[in-house]
Amino acid sequence: MVFVIATIYVESGKREAFLEIFNRNVPNVRAEEGCIAYTPTVDVESGIPIQGPAREDVVIVVEQWESLDHLRAHLATPHMAAYQEEVADIVERVGLQVLTPA
């Protein structure tokens, strides 16, 4: 099993437009073989001192896949290629962490 934390930085003021596009693709991803979880999240002001300020232009995608092969297959799907093309002008950069249970 692998977990993925994808940090997506979008152009200032474009997070809602990005999320609209992203959420249209979520059912396609969740239907993929090996997808256990695929959830877009955003920062929340928690009042917990160690947390930094909420980032208005960041979306964190929390994913869980049965295997690294399933994740690789996901990244090669036509719906992911279409999604990436659609958000290309909104997304500034993406950070990715692929993790396994310790």
Side-chain angles (χ1 to χ4, degrees), residues 17-101:
F18 170 82
L19 284 169
E20 182 179 319
I21 296 166
F22 186 93
N23 282 317
R24 283 198 313 257
N25 195 38
V26 167
N28 297 325
V29 175
R30 289 186 179 158
E32 290 178 42
E33 182 179 340
C35 181
I36 299 168
Y38 190 79
T39 305
T41 64
V42 295
D43 290 352
V44 62
E45 290 286 351
S46 67
I48 298 171
I50 197 168
Q51 180 182 357
R55 300 164 296 172
E56 296 297 321
D57 300 316
V58 174
V59 174
I60 306 290
V61 184
V62 180
E63 306 175 35
Q64 187 176 5
W65 295 90
E66 289 181 16
S67 71
L68 195 51
D69 287 339
H70 286 105
L71 172 60
R72 287 185 180 117
H74 155 70
L75 295 172
T77 60
H79 57 263
M80 286 306 293
Y83 149 78
Q84 289 171 351
E85 185 175 315
E86 194 170 359
V87 299
D89 292 336
I90 299 172
V91 172
E92 291 183 345
R93 72 184 197 277
V94 177
L96 192 69
Q97 285 296 132
V98 179
L99 311 157
T100 189

